[in-house]
């Protein structure tokens, strides 16, 4: 057999292709199908099956496209209530492909409909576990994403209890040498303490993963519920899209409206300007939000812009625009683009420069807004008198920032503060809004 992992750094998402005797099964594929087709060409194989461990919240899957184009069978739990053609794949179900077989384990906890896939080799020996968002390397999946989304809804405490029993009854009995292939690594918002390792074994997790420790149910539940990251606006939207089946990638990309360079955008539109911070400051459309094209662009796009909104995408070049549309498509947000444009007209608003020496001489003259997460603000304080409003909440809460002093926005390194400064400046027209940017790194250790 041949197992290939595909890793998307931007979303910290791992998907898999398993090939045996010229037949290929995919597990939790991402939106763009091309890399899986390239793998099929490389091994001279055919994609015959796609297994979904659950309806994902953080990315859009291409499972329906493989069914439509290749006739591949989609295997998913009946509990999902999938609206696309599929075969139910639940506890005790299995299928063979080439000289390997795939076995479904019902492993609720991250979601009530989660399954993990046990791969057995030609001798019937348990070889690998494709654990979806149930078991990560160093952690287990967060239990708080299905209170408002999906066919089956469940409260976080109930799901945390389910996860406890999943670990005890389904994961702990597996042999130490079973390989573990999770759907996410460090940087994903589907868990809180994920390792940056790409694979592991059950034995290694038994020795190092806190969830495998000898804990009672109450202690496990309390530990799992504490300190989970925020839930981006787009998560429920992606669960619904994955339950329905996403439109074909290339066709959806080609439907994005590309406006001519220098176009005039409608007044009051949501504009996502992806240019660098200095170029944005030199001139931008009034009210535009500066989400720079970086490693986490798609996550911040889906955290700041809600799925009920349409937006314009602004970039510096046609090549960059294409790259950004592809990134937006990972979370299904290409469908929300009203227009994509290179250097539109009307970029008349300018940013204000921040004088670090003036701040250092009199920090009380500024209203300091820390847009890091609540945990970052609490665990790594930088300024005692700062106001904490996480970036993903700024559009809704900017009015809480008092006027009267210059408003100084900071994060941990400068990427988020560019977006935060643009949001506050667009909403608080009466205030001078300044970006601490990368200079914040010199203030990280504060004497108390």
């Amino acid at each position: 057999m041949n197992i290939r992992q595909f890793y998307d750094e931007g979303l910290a998402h791992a998907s898999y292709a398993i090939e045996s005797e010229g037949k290929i099964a995919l597990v939790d594929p991402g939106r763009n199908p091309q890399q899986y087709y390239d793998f099929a060409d490389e091994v001279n194989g055919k994609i015959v099956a796609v297994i979904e461990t659950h309806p994902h919240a953080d990315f859009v899957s291409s499972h329906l496209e493989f069914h439509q184009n290749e006739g591949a069978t989609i295997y998913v739990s009946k509990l999902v209530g999938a609206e696309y053609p599929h075969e139910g794949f639940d506890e005790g179900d299995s299928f063979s492909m080439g000289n390997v077989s795939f076995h479904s384990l019902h492993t609720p906890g991250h979601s009530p409909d989660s399954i993990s896939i046990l791969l057995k080799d030609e001798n019937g020996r348990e070889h690998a576990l494709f654990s979806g968002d149930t078991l990560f390397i160093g952690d287990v999946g967060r239990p708080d994403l299905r209170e408002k989304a999906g066919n089956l809804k469940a409260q976080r405490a109930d799901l945390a209890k389910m996860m406890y029993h999943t670990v005890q009854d389904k994961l702990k009995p597996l042999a130490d040498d079973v390989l573990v292939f999770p759907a996410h690594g460090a940087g994903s918002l589907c868990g809180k303490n994920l390792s940056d390792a790409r694979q592991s074994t059950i034995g290694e997790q038994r020795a190092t993963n806190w969830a495998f420790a000898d804990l009672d149910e109450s202690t496990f539940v309390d530990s799992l519920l504490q300190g989970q990251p925020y839930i981006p606006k787009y998560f429920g939207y992606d669960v619904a899209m994955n339950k329905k089946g996403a439109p074909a990638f290339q066709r959806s990309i080609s439907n994005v409206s590309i406006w001519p360079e220098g176009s005039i955008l409608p007044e009051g539109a949501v504009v996502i300007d992806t240019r660098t911070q200095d170029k944005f400051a030199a001139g931008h459309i009034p009210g535009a939000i500066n989400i720079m094209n970086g490693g986490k662009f798609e996550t911040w796009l889906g955290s700041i812009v809600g799925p009920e909104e349409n937006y314009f995408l602004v970039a510096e070049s046609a090549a960059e625009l294409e790259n950004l549309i592809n990134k937006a498509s990972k979370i299904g947000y290409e469908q929300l683009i009203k227009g994509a444009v290179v250097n539109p007209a009307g970029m008349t608003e300018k940013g204000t420069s921040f004088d670090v020496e003036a701040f250092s001489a009199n920090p009380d003259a500024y209203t300091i807004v820390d847009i890091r997460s609540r945990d970052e603000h609490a665990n790594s304080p930088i300024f005692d008198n700062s106001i904490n409003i996480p970036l993903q909440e700024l559009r809704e809460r900017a009015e809480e920032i008092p006027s009267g002093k210059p408003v100084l926005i900071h994060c941990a390194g400068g990427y988020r503060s560019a977006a935060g400064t643009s949001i506050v400046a667009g909403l608080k027209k009466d205030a001078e809004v300044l970006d601490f940017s990368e200079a914040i790194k010199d203030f990280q250790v504060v004497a108390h």
Side-chain angles (χ1 to χ4, degrees):
M1 89 183 75
N2 182 1
I3 299 174
R4 177 74 58 87
Q5 182 185 71
F6 304 87
Y7 200 80
D8 180 332
E9 295 281 357
L11 291 173
H13 162 225
S15 55
Y16 301 89
I18 302 94
E19 182 269 333
S20 178
E21 297 188 338
K23 295 178 179 177
I24 298 168
L26 304 178
V27 178
D28 295 332
R31 181 71 187 285
N32 186 343
Q34 191 56 50
Q35 60 188 343
Y36 311 107
Y37 285 130
D38 291 344
F39 172 78
D41 289 342
E42 179 188 325
V43 301
N44 195 27
K46 178 175 174 56
I47 298 167
V48 299
V50 182
I51 309 171
E52 289 290 302
T53 57
H54 64 293
H56 298 274
D58 61 311
F59 72 93
V60 173
S61 171
S62 53
H63 53 261
L64 180 56
E65 191 163 353
F66 288 108
H67 171 74
Q68 293 170 333
N69 293 346
E70 304 297 307
T73 301
I74 306 172
Y75 294 90
V76 65
S77 171
K78 291 188 182 77
L79 298 174
V80 169
E83 297 169 26
Y84 48 80
H86 64 280
E87 193 161 311
F89 199 50
D90 291 285
E91 182 77 27
D93 292 338
S94 64
F95 70 92
S96 297
M97 184 196 75
N99 59 15
V100 301
S101 59
F102 299 85
H103 302 257
S104 175
L105 303 178
H106 183 216
T107 52
H110 173 68
S111 65
D113 45 27
S114 285
I115 57 172
S116 296
I117 315 304
L118 193 58
L119 174 67
K120 296 186 180 181
D121 64 19
E122 57 189 340
N123 299 315
R125 188 179 67 88
E126 295 176 353
H127 179 73
L129 183 75
F130 298 92
S131 55
D133 287 16
T134 297
L135 175 61
F136 296 131
I137 299 172
D139 203 355
V140 289
R142 65 188 298 176
D144 56 346
L145 298 182
R146 291 295 290 276
E147 295 184 318
K148 298 177 182 176
N151 184 54
L152 282 181
K153 297 176 178 62
Q155 296 302 304
R156 61 190 68 192
D158 294 333
L159 277 171
K161 289 176 185 175
M162 291 182 200
M163 184 66 84
Y164 176 77
H165 292 286
T166 283
V167 173
Q168 298 297 320
D169 303 338
K170 301 294 175 66
L171 302 181
K172 279 189 174 181
L174 296 172
D176 282 351
D177 63 350
V178 171
L179 297 169
V180 175
F181 292 112
H184 293 290
S188 168
L189 291 173
C190 291
K192 56 183 174 178
N193 291 311
L194 281 63
S195 167
D196 56 8
R198 300 288 169 84
Q199 70 179 72
S200 184
T201 63
I202 289 293
E204 187 176 46
Q205 291 310 293
R206 201 187 307 281
T208 61
N209 190 322
W210 72 270
F212 281 76
D214 188 18
L215 304 172
D216 60 50
E217 182 183 277
S218 177
T219 304
F220 179 96
V221 167
D222 288 345
S223 298
L224 184 54
L225 291 175
Q226 287 172 8
Q228 291 292 352
Y230 75 97
I231 301 174
K233 294 179 170 74
Y234 78 91
F235 269 23
Y237 169 79
D238 277 15
V239 169
M241 188 177 298
N242 283 320
K243 179 174 171 285
K244 182 180 179 182
F249 169 76
Q250 202 57 55
R251 189 180 314 127
S252 193
I253 289 288
S254 64
N255 284 339
V256 173
S257 178
I258 308 295
W259 288 32
E261 184 167 354
S263 291
I264 299 172
L265 304 188
E267 200 169 332
V270 177
V271 177
I272 303 302
D273 190 326
T274 65
R275 295 172 303 143
T276 58
Q277 189 175 7
D278 57 335
K279 286 180 177 157
F280 182 85
H284 57 268
I285 290 173
I289 299 172
N290 184 206
I291 309 178
M292 292 187 285
N293 185 10
K296 294 292 180 186
F297 170 80
E298 50 270 49
T299 297
W300 285 114
L301 174 66
S303 300
I304 292 169
V305 177
E308 72 287 349
E309 298 182 278
N310 289 311
Y311 64 96
F312 285 87
L313 193 59
V314 171
E316 194 176 2
S317 69
E320 195 157 20
L321 208 54
E322 181 181 359
N323 172 257
L324 288 154
I325 293 168
N326 283 333
K327 286 186 175 184
S329 76
K330 294 183 197 175
I331 63 169
Y333 265 41
E334 87 286 356
Q335 297 177 67
L336 308 182
I337 298 174
K338 190 81 172 169
V341 59
V342 171
N343 297 327
M347 295 200 287
T348 57
E349 193 85 2
K350 297 192 185 308
T352 49
S353 59
F354 168 52
D355 186 337
V356 180
E357 290 183 6
F359 168 78
S360 298
N362 188 12
D364 291 337
Y366 300 80
T367 297
I368 305 171
V369 181
D370 179 355
I371 63 168
R372 297 176 301 161
S373 70
R374 288 176 178 80
D375 282 348
E376 286 175 285
H377 177 76
N379 298 332
S380 305
I382 300 175
F383 302 111
D384 289 332
N385 59 342
S386 63
I387 301 167
N388 179 219
I389 305 178
L391 172 56
Q392 68 275 7
E393 300 174 17
L394 262 183
R395 290 176 74 198
E396 292 76 28
R397 297 180 57 197
E399 74 279 355
E400 297 176 25
I401 301 169
S403 299
K405 297 180 183 177
V407 176
L408 182 55
I409 309 287
H410 82 81
C411 59
Y415 180 84
R416 284 175 286 178
S417 65
T421 301
S422 65
I423 289 170
V424 176
L427 294 173
K428 291 188 75 68
K429 301 291 189 186
D430 59 336
E432 181 184 12
V433 184
L434 305 169
D435 184 357
F436 220 122
S437 192
E438 294 184 7
I440 191 64
K441 294 173 184 175
D442 297 330
F443 291 79
Q444 298 284 17
V445 180
V446 175
H448 288 278

